[in-house]
Amino acid sequence: MSKESLIASLRTVPDYPKKGILFWDVTTLFKDPAAFKEVEDILYEEYKDKGITKVAGIESRGFVMGAALASRLGAGFVLIRKPGKLPADTVSMEYSLEYGHDKIEMHTDAITEDDVVLIHDDLLATGGTARAAVKLVETFHPKQVYVSFIINLKDFGSVAKFPPEVPVKTVLDLEGA
């Protein structure tokens, strides 16, 4: 399957979640077995030799491919969630948005210093949540942190905003902000 076919499997929703935003919906890619497998294969090939021990999926679309990839890599899967959604003790990271602040959380026992962690989410736009996820995971002092996305909206230039010691892989680099 080509990258053009993967892009064609996506749905775009104008003016969602607010006017002026073009929302790239990966749920249509997830429901297409060939597209889903292709993305999983691309990410698996990238990370199969990196010694990944945990995949951390960012709520909520990061859970889908993140969990599939963790299973394929023989790694554990941990959740990065919005506040108040996890049942046990958590550690959190606050971050800035265009109009305010938000917070993400993980369980305090999610990651150890012996882990090699892959953080996964569906889409990289401004990158605020993903960079906060990196900072949150780094509080556990794992051996290495990697980050992956299905879609990167290149116009934001957010890949360059990650620390150089945290490699970022994107499957589809698209125009449009």
Side-chain angles (χ1 to χ4, degrees), residues 59-151:
E59 185 168 344
S60 66
R61 289 175 304 277
F63 294 170
V64 177
M65 187 60 66
L69 193 54
S71 178
R72 183 130 176 230
L73 291 168
F77 182 73
V78 296
L79 307 174
I80 298 176
R81 300 222 49 196
K82 295 173 184 170
K85 302 289 185 178
L86 294 170
D89 292 337
T90 61
V91 60
S92 64
M93 183 64 58
E94 190 169 309
Y95 60 101
S96 296
L97 299 167
E98 281 182 64
Y99 303 105
H101 290 59
D102 209 343
K103 189 188 296 187
I104 52 175
E105 296 181 337
M106 293 177 68
H107 280 132
T108 57
D109 61 356
I111 294 171
T112 72
E113 291 180 357
D114 292 327
D115 283 320
V116 176
V117 180
L118 170 61
I119 299 169
H120 178 76
D121 204 0
D122 67 323
L123 183 136
L124 175 62
T126 61
T129 305
R131 286 193 311 278
V134 168
K135 289 178 184 175
L136 181 60
V137 167
E138 286 179 336
T139 66
F140 293 91
H141 307 288
K143 291 179 180 178
Q144 177 67 50
V145 178
Y146 299 92
V147 183
S148 67
F149 301 93
I150 297 171
I151 299 169

Side-chain angles (χ1 to χ4, degrees), residues 149-169:
F149 301 93
I150 297 171
I151 299 169
N152 170 37
L153 298 180
K154 296 188 305 185
D155 294 353
F156 287 99
S158 294
V159 169
K161 296 175 184 174
F162 285 86
E165 67 276 8
V166 179
V168 176
K169 167 70 177 173

